[in-house]
Amino acid sequence: MAPAQILEESRTQPVSVLKQGVLENYEGGYRFAPIEEAQVSRAMIKRYFSTMYDRAISDVVIVGAGSAGLSCAYHLATARPDLKITIIEANVAPGGGAWLGGQLMTPMVIRKPADAFLDRLGVPYEDEGNFVVVKHAALFTSTLLSKVLSMPNVVMMNATAVEDLIIHSDFEGKQRVAGVVTNWTLVALNHDTQSCMDPNTITAPVIISATGHDGPMGAFSAKRLVSAGLLTSLGNMRGLDMNRAEPAIVNGTREVAPGLVMAGMELSEHDGSNRMGPTFGAMIGSGVKAAHEAIRIHNNAQIVNGKVVGMKNYGF
């Protein structure tokens, strides 16, 4: 189509004219810019594998993009924009169990003071006194997810499973979690049906594990600590008690093994704390505390090429 004809159409219809005959016309004349199939492939491949190459050494790896992992990523990326934060999520859809409330009902209950985090995100809620209610859990999750992924120092590799932990002897001869072993989830799920499909690795001085309570891929790091001999046995999650469970999870968020910070409901399996059910304040609080723990480790450690090689001497 000649440029003059395109311009004539733009005067007579509600259209937006761009280059090369591109036309935003919802009266039957919508036209896309031309593209080659190879361009689509190369656009994805170039960026994805460039990210993999860059994040082979990360500053912090967060395992699990549920409410605790995403809250951690948001606080950490905001407080320390200098850190390369890499999120690994086994599912195609990030968010964990935070897309709904309880029993497939959509409202999300969050106990105070975790409502302050909602204010930071700009998520509206109804105030019920001791707790607040977000009208749909997906509003919280999608808002948090979009803000996290828009941060330049954060990348996420979803549909990617952590199959193992890298464990090295550190500068003191102690066993230290020094990274994660990764594979695409569909590959990880088919190791028993196919020939050997070796994984990949990401080195990082801090791993934050927030993989949830026991399940197909839940409590992964807690269970791996047992099989690796760094933890005698799992505490196993106790029965539901919201008033005991939520403070136990937030206050218990810590570096459970050198280099490994544990957050969220995975801690209930590690420590033997109570289940909390459909109340999400502890997931937020635990994620934020995990971010504080990661910052503490970074501030105190001497790090070279993603490895902790010593501790800083502050003269005391």
Side-chain angles (χ1 to χ4, degrees):
M1 179 180 290
Q5 189 175 352
I6 294 175
L7 289 174
E8 179 59 28
E9 284 195 18
S10 72
R11 295 188 188 99
T12 58
Q13 299 183 51
V15 297
S16 177
V17 180
L18 302 176
K19 303 182 213 175
Q20 303 176 18
V22 174
L23 203 59
E24 185 183 7
N25 180 322
Y26 296 98
E27 304 296 329
Y30 200 104
R31 291 193 294 275
F32 285 97
I35 198 167
E36 297 291 334
E37 284 79 7
Q39 288 178 289
V40 176
S41 294
R42 284 175 170 170
M44 293 186 296
I45 291 167
K46 175 177 159 183
R47 288 163 177 80
Y48 190 87
F49 285 101
S50 176
T51 297
M52 287 187 72
Y53 182 91
D54 177 62
R55 295 307 176 100
I57 297 177
S58 297
D59 293 314
V60 178
V61 171
I62 298 173
V63 186
S67 49
L70 290 174
S71 297
C72 176
Y74 179 81
H75 186 86
L76 184 58
T78 303
R80 289 291 301 270
D82 57 308
L83 296 180
K84 290 182 178 180
I85 301 164
T86 302
I87 306 171
I88 307 295
E89 168 55 46
N91 287 308
V92 171
W99 290 110
L100 292 165
Q103 199 171 327
L104 302 183
M105 292 182 281
T106 56
M108 173 180 265
V109 175
I110 295 174
R111 289 167 68 189
K112 295 179 178 179
D115 59 315
F117 190 78
L118 300 180
D119 293 334
R120 289 172 61 191
L121 294 178
V123 173
Y125 53 79
E126 294 179 59
D127 195 321
E128 294 282 356
N130 289 341
F131 61 91
V132 301
V133 183
V134 179
K135 72 174 183 178
H136 200 301
L139 175 60
F140 166 79
T141 305
S142 60
T143 301
L144 178 56
L145 189 58
S146 66
K147 287 184 180 292
V148 166
L149 291 180
S150 68
M151 294 177 174
N153 59 327
V154 178
V155 300
M156 177 185 291
M157 297 175 185
N158 48 318
T160 303
V162 170
E163 291 191 336
D164 204 349
L165 302 172
I166 300 172
I167 302 174
H168 288 164
S169 293
D170 68 8
F171 62 97
E172 295 179 314
K174 297 177 181 178
Q175 295 296 289
R176 183 179 188 88
V177 176
V180 293
V181 179
T182 63
N183 217 327
W184 285 306
T185 302
L186 291 177
V187 173
L189 292 173
N190 281 281
H191 283 311
D192 293 335
T193 63
Q194 301 293 323
S195 60
C196 179
M197 296 173 285
D198 282 332
N200 208 339
T201 63
I202 301 175
T203 297
V206 183
I207 307 301
I208 298 172
S209 192
T211 66
H213 54 67
D214 197 11
M217 291 185 179
F220 172 80
S221 296
K223 290 184 282 191
R224 187 66 183 102
L225 287 179
V226 175
S227 60
L230 297 183
L231 181 66
T232 304
S233 62
L234 288 178
N236 296 317
M237 184 170 62
R238 302 294 195 262
L240 191 149
D241 185 334
M242 291 181 180
N243 286 306
R244 279 194 289 177
E246 291 208 88
I249 292 298
V250 178
N251 295 326
T253 298
R254 66 196 185 280
E255 189 178 19
V256 297
L260 179 67
V261 175
M262 195 166 288
M265 288 309 294
E266 187 167 6
L267 268 171
S268 67
E269 303 290 357
H270 183 280
D271 293 352
S273 58
N274 293 87
R275 183 183 193 131
M276 67 192 61
T279 174
F280 290 83
M283 297 300 95
I284 292 170
S286 179
V288 173
K289 190 179 180 194
H292 284 285
E293 289 291 294
I295 292 170
R296 177 188 60 79
I297 295 169
H298 264 274
N299 286 345
N300 292 334
Q302 294 176 342
I303 300 168
V304 177
N305 292 329
K307 295 182 179 180
V308 175
V309 299
M311 303 306 291
K312 293 176 181 175
N313 183 1
Y314 291 101
F316 54 84

